[in-house]
């Protein structure tokens, strides 16, 4: 039996999950902070003025007893929040909902279209990196073969944010990193002049260097076509 995601605010009756999130975030907003937050993120979508820590606390409280009837139910709730967002913090809340423990069994290959929509329509690093570095890795662990093929396809996609996501999808894999997949996802973008792709390549290599610095150093030496930015990021914590 699933529990309803709605909340009773005592005035309007049962609110949808998206409405509840908006209401709680609005109540915690600091409008004086909002313009600076929007300017920092270069965001067309306005901010309410809720920083990361209170936002996560609000989400934790709202999501505490949520249960979902199915993967489809969960995805519908995420997309209702995402698509209906008027403020950037609401989209952050949608991303928080994707990582909910109660949705753990839904992190399979059939969730990839959900994340693809969020990545393509979000089209900025704060959204994309949170999804790529955490949610995509979980799917890769759960449905390795299918997800591997999907990330190889994303690595050559015309959409830059999908390419970045493919490069970053193993960011937290540590010793489990599939180097063949990592290098295959890097290869199509290795000569790109796009900052966000160059940065992603360096970032992914730098993370793996924590586990195997010699391998990353070897890769950098053998790939002189790496941009200076990618090379600098990759070798950042490797001793001379």
């Amino acid at each position: 039996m699933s529990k309803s995601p709605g909340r009773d605010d005592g005035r309007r009756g049962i609110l949808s999950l998206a409405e509840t999130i908006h209401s709680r975030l609005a109540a915690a907003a600091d409008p004086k902070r909002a313009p600076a937050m929007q300017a920092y993120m270069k965001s067309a979508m306005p901010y309410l003025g809720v920083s990361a820590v209170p936002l996560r606390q609000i989400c934790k409280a709202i999501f505490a007893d949520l249960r979902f009837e199915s993967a489809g139910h969960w995805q519908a709730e995420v997309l209702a929040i995402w698509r209906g967002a008027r403020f950037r913090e609401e989209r952050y809340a949608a991303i928080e909902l994707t990582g909910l423990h109660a949705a753990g069994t839904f992190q399979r290959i059939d969730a990839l279209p959900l994340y693809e929509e969020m990545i393509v329509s979000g089209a900025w690093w704060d959204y994309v990196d949170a999804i790529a570095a955490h949610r995509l890795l979980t799917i890769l662990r759960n449905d390795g073969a299918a997800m591997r093929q999907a990330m190889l396809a994303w690595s050559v996609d015309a959409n830059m944010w999908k390419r970045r996501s493919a490069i970053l999808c193993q960011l937290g894999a540590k010793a489990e990193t599939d180097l063949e997949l990592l290098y295959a996802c890097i290869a199509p973008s290795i000569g790109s002049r796009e900052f966000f792709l160059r940065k992603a390549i360096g970032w992914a290599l730098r993370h793996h260097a924590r586990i195997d610095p010699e391998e990353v150093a070897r890769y950098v030496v053998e790939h002189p076509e790496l941009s200076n930015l990618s090379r600098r990021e990759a070798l950042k914590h490797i001793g001379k």
Side-chain angles (χ1 to χ4, degrees), residues 128-146:
V128 171
D129 293 1
I131 295 168
H134 301 290
R135 311 300 181 253
L136 299 188
L137 177 59
T138 304
I139 299 177
L140 184 62
R141 285 169 169 159
N142 291 338
D143 283 319

Side-chain angles (χ1 to χ4, degrees), residues 112 116 119-120 149-167 184-189 192 194 197:
L112 190 59
E116 182 177 9
I119 286 166
V120 172
Q149 291 304 308
M151 292 299 96
L152 290 172
W154 280 27
S155 74
V156 296
D157 197 274
N159 184 278
M160 183 268 291
W161 297 107
K162 289 173 68 174
R163 285 189 176 223
R164 180 176 170 95
S165 296
I167 293 166
C185 288
I186 287 173
S189 300
S192 173
E194 170 56 58
L197 293 177

Side-chain angles (χ1 to χ4, degrees), residues 162-211:
K162 289 173 68 174
R163 285 189 176 223
R164 180 176 170 95
S165 296
I167 293 166
L168 296 179
C169 73
Q170 296 190 82
L171 207 62
K174 298 181 180 179
E176 297 175 0
T177 299
D178 178 343
L179 282 178
E180 183 180 352
L181 176 60
L182 174 61
Y183 296 157
C185 288
I186 287 173
S189 300
I190 201 167
S192 173
R193 299 185 63 82
E194 170 56 58
F195 169 82
F196 286 106
L197 293 177
R198 291 180 170 190
K199 187 76 171 182
I201 290 169
W203 190 14
L205 292 172
R206 188 177 81 227
H207 264 252
H208 191 64
R210 297 174 180 174
I211 304 300

